[in-house]
Amino acid sequence: MKPLQILISNDDGVSALGIRTLAINASRRGHSITVVCPDQERSATGHGLTLQTPIRAEKSDDLFDEGITAWGCSGTPADCIKLALFELLPQKPDLILSGINHGPNLGTDVFCSGTVAAAMEGTLEGIPSMAISSACYQWRDFELAAEIGLDVAQKALSSQWPHNLLLNLNIPPCDKK
């Protein structure tokens, strides 16, 4: 697969281990990565948008490996995707990944999840998008989750990802064996 332009976001904040692990793993696969996510945890914000106050974005490249462009924003996860698509990125990305979320996004949780909302914002803009979550609140080994998430996304893209399909991947706690 040719290298992709990937936009990564979440609702756990720019310093969350899940997003750093996903971004670094995607970069190591040769993809061009831009991270635009909240500057702090904004879990359970749903698809909320900031309307009454300015949204500020601050460079956060130093939290990631060399070559990864990162921004921490004062808005919600949905705000972050809008800001990235319409102000920060020179062109639409090939793929939007949101996560890796610290905890599951299952059942009705998807309606209040900022992680799912960020991916939904991409889907609404016609960009293949996937939310990735750890299906356990205590599990913090995101390496395998990043690998699985990237494999699923690449397979879906190569299999002609259906237009307007949002993928929501919840990965159980497990070790690579």
Side-chain angles (χ1 to χ4, degrees), residues 8 12 54 57 59 97-98 101 104 118 123 126 134 146 152 155-156 160 177:
I8 301 179
D12 291 320
K59 291 288 274 177
L97 299 174
S98 186
N101 190 64
T123 300
S134 168
V152 168
K155 179 70 173 171
Q160 292 153 5
K177 292 186 183 189

Side-chain angles (χ1 to χ4, degrees), residues 54-69:
I55 297 172
R56 302 197 188 321
E58 187 173 314
K59 291 288 274 177
S60 299
D61 298 352
D62 57 328
L63 295 174
F64 296 85
D65 282 2
E66 188 174 332
I68 297 174
T69 302

Side-chain angles (χ1 to χ4, degrees), residues 3-166:
L4 301 171
Q5 300 288 324
I6 302 176
L7 171 60
I8 301 179
S9 195
N10 71 1
D11 69 1
D12 291 320
V14 71
S15 62
L17 180 57
I19 197 167
R20 290 195 330 261
T21 304
L22 182 59
I24 290 166
N25 275 274
S27 178
R28 287 181 184 154
R29 289 186 182 205
H31 302 302
S32 177
I33 307 302
T34 303
V35 172
V36 182
C37 65
D39 54 8
Q40 61 185 344
E41 183 174 345
R42 289 202 171 73
S43 295
T45 56
H47 208 108
L49 297 173
T50 303
L51 301 176
Q52 303 301 321
T53 58
I55 297 172
R56 302 197 188 321
E58 187 173 314
K59 291 288 274 177
S60 299
D61 298 352
D62 57 328
L63 295 174
F64 296 85
D65 282 2
E66 188 174 332
I68 297 174
T69 302
W71 297 85
C73 300
S74 61
T76 67
D79 288 333
C80 292
I81 297 299
K82 285 188 175 295
L83 182 66
L85 295 179
F86 300 111
E87 294 298 326
L88 298 176
L89 295 176
Q91 63 191 33
K92 276 188 172 183
D94 301 308
L95 175 66
I96 295 176
L97 299 174
S98 186
I100 300 167
N101 190 64
H102 296 195
N105 279 307
L106 301 165
T108 57
D109 290 349
V110 300
F111 297 114
C112 63
S113 169
T115 296
V116 175
M120 178 59 75
E121 194 60 42
T123 300
L124 292 171
E125 292 298 328
I127 302 166
S129 301
M130 180 170 64
I132 305 170
S133 300
S134 168
C136 176
Y137 288 105
Q138 291 76 31
W139 190 256
R140 291 292 185 258
D141 182 1
F142 296 108
E143 288 294 326
L144 183 58
E147 187 176 318
I148 292 170
L150 290 164
D151 287 347
V152 168
Q154 288 179 284
K155 179 70 173 171
L157 284 169
S158 67
S159 299
Q160 292 153 5
W161 195 309
H163 186 68
N164 291 331
L165 175 69
L166 166 69

